[in-house]
């Protein structure tokens, strides 16, 4: 990767690597071969969970454990990490095998989310915990600022949809898997959400059935006029 391209990404991240090889490895998907970002992803996953848990613990001193767990899950879920990846325009920097390139892997939520976790792991190895904590908190700052332990928005879409329907004595949604594509290690689930009170079904996609169901439920909420 050319030095000017690396510098461009580092400006987006707000961090300059001493060891550029760590960043290159964090951007290398397993489709490129055995030397890839999976180990950094494993490390970054643990680190981001800790840093966000710590931030929430400080931000909500009166919150119960269950409330903090739900907030953390919302912050570190794949969809949120992929949003960060898109903000950094990581798709322009990922190193993918030919198969992933042809299938548009640089746009895939799971690949973007994994790369963000890998970059977090790489920053930790390159500079230590304090610097890593500072960077991660800055990336999540605006998202953390709008959180509330009592806000209905903090509940996941499936829960909000179910509560909305139950309050109005409507039939609960039916979630149906319509397709599963991709390799066994990198599947994409497509789920249909069927509602009696809507004239059309909604579709959701994700790297897991649960994630696809959440996306389908979110679209159903929007059609019902219920938005965060």
């Amino acid at each position: 990767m050319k030095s000017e391209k690396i510098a461009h990404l580092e400006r987006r991240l707000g961090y300059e690597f001493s060891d550029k090889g760590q960043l290159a490895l964090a951007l290398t998907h397993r489709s490129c071969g055995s030397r890839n970002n999976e180990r950094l992803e494993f490390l970054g996953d643990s680190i981001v969970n800790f840093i966000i848990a710590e931030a929430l613990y400080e931000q909500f001193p009166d919150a119960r454990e269950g409330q903090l767990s739900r907030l953390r899950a919302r912050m570190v879920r794949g969809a949120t990490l992929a949003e960060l990846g898109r903000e950094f325009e990581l798709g322009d920097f990922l190193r993918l095998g030919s198969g992933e390139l042809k299938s548009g892997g640089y746009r895939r939520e799971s690949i973007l989310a994994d790369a963000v976790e890998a970059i977090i792991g790489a920053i930790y190895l390159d500079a230590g915990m304090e610097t890593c904590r500072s960077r991660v908190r800055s990336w999540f700052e605006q998202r953390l600022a709008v959180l509330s332990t009592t806000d209905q928005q903090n509940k996941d879409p499936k829960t909000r949809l179910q509560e909305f329907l139950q309050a109005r004595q409507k039939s609960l949604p039916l979630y149906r898997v319509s397709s599963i594509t991709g390799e066994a290690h990198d599947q994409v689930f497509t789920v249909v959400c069927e509602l009696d009170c809507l004239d059309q079904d909604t579709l959701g996609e994700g790297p897991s059935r649960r994630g696809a169901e959440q996306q389908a439920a979110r679209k159903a909420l929007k059609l019902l006029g219920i938005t965060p």
Side-chain angles (χ1 to χ4, degrees), residues 71-95:
L71 291 174
R72 181 181 61 180
R74 179 180 167 191
M75 287 292 96
V76 302
R77 65 188 178 186
T80 304
L81 294 172
E83 284 176 5
L84 279 174
R86 283 188 284 269
E87 291 170 11
F88 298 144
E89 297 184 1
L90 281 187
D92 295 340
F93 303 93
L94 292 174
R95 301 168 69 181

Side-chain angles (χ1 to χ4, degrees), residues 123-186:
I123 292 175
Y124 168 75
L125 292 177
D126 195 61
M129 192 62 186
E130 288 306 313
T131 299
C132 187
R133 178 189 283 111
S134 174
R135 284 295 81 217
V136 171
R137 285 208 179 197
S138 72
W139 298 347
F140 282 88
E141 183 178 10
Q142 292 184 349
R143 290 174 171 84
L144 289 167
V146 298
L147 291 179
S148 166
T149 55
T150 58
D151 191 345
Q152 179 74 2
Q153 180 183 348
N154 293 331
K155 295 182 179 179
D156 66 79
K158 284 185 66 177
T159 300
R160 288 195 289 131
L161 180 58
Q162 180 173 316
E163 290 180 351
F164 173 85
L165 296 170
Q166 288 176 329
R168 289 156 181 79
Q169 297 183 328
K170 302 285 187 180
S171 299
L172 294 181
L174 173 65
Y175 297 96
R176 173 173 52 83
V177 176
S178 64
S179 69
I180 304 174
T181 59
E183 300 295 329
H185 65 277
D186 197 15

Side-chain angles (χ1 to χ4, degrees), residues 14-28:
Y15 177 74
E16 183 176 351
F17 280 82
S18 298
D19 182 357
K20 307 299 184 186
Q22 291 284 9
L23 176 57
L25 185 59
L27 296 169
T28 303

Side-chain angles (χ1 to χ4, degrees), residues 77-79 109-110 156-158 161 173-181 187-194 201-221:
R77 65 188 178 186
E109 181 177 286
S110 60
D156 66 79
K158 284 185 66 177
L161 180 58
L174 173 65
Y175 297 96
R176 173 173 52 83
V177 176
S178 64
S179 69
I180 304 174
T181 59
Q187 293 180 327
V188 176
F189 290 77
T190 300
V191 166
V192 177
C193 176
E194 301 174 357
D201 298 336
T202 57
L203 290 178
E205 288 187 349
S208 67
R209 176 171 180 167
R210 175 177 172 78
E213 289 176 348
Q214 296 287 8
Q215 188 179 107
R218 188 178 296 111
K219 291 181 179 179
L221 286 167

Side-chain angles (χ1 to χ4, degrees), residues 45-117:
D45 174 66
S46 298
I47 293 169
V48 71
N49 270 275
F50 167 73
I51 291 173
I52 296 303
E54 179 186 54
L56 293 170
Y57 184 86
E58 295 173 0
Q59 185 171 335
F60 301 105
D62 298 322
R64 298 186 299 276
E65 183 271 342
Q67 293 173 311
L68 293 173
S69 293
R70 284 191 293 273
L71 291 174
R72 181 181 61 180
R74 179 180 167 191
M75 287 292 96
V76 302
R77 65 188 178 186
T80 304
L81 294 172
E83 284 176 5
L84 279 174
R86 283 188 284 269
E87 291 170 11
F88 298 144
E89 297 184 1
L90 281 187
D92 295 340
F93 303 93
L94 292 174
R95 301 168 69 181
L96 304 170
S98 58
E100 285 294 349
L101 280 173
K102 290 177 183 177
S103 64
Y106 58 91
R107 296 191 301 266
R108 189 170 300 161
E109 181 177 286
S110 60
I111 291 179
L112 289 169
D114 290 349
V116 170
E117 289 179 337

